[in-house]
Amino acid sequence: MPELEKFPEKCRQAIRAVAMLLDTDYTTAWFTILAESVMTDMDPADPAIPEIIARYEYDV
């Protein structure tokens, strides 16, 4: 997965999880994580970010 290597190492697992959850590419997943981290005032590497995104995906 060379494409994943361009993202911060501590966020790669979350990026992979969000990409699978949303059925999208790594770049879109990364920007989703960044947007969520800004809205919640959390670090993008926080393991709760993918869980929050998953809640949004299934609540709608």
Side-chain angles (χ1 to χ4, degrees):
M1 292 183 203
E3 182 185 343
L4 194 56
E5 292 176 0
K6 67 182 179 181
F7 300 103
E9 187 174 346
K10 63 183 181 177
C11 298
R12 289 178 189 165
Q13 184 176 359
I15 293 168
R16 189 179 299 116
V18 171
M20 289 175 50
L21 174 71
L22 301 178
D23 191 29
T24 191
D25 60 279
Y26 294 140
T27 302
T28 302
W30 174 236
F31 282 110
T32 302
I33 289 169
L34 290 178
E36 186 61 41
S37 69
V38 168
M39 291 188 295
T40 57
D41 197 29
M42 297 171 73
D43 187 305
D46 192 314
I49 295 287
E51 295 171 14
I52 293 169
I53 294 169
R55 274 189 263 144
Y56 289 145
E57 178 69 14
Y58 295 112
D59 282 348
V60 176

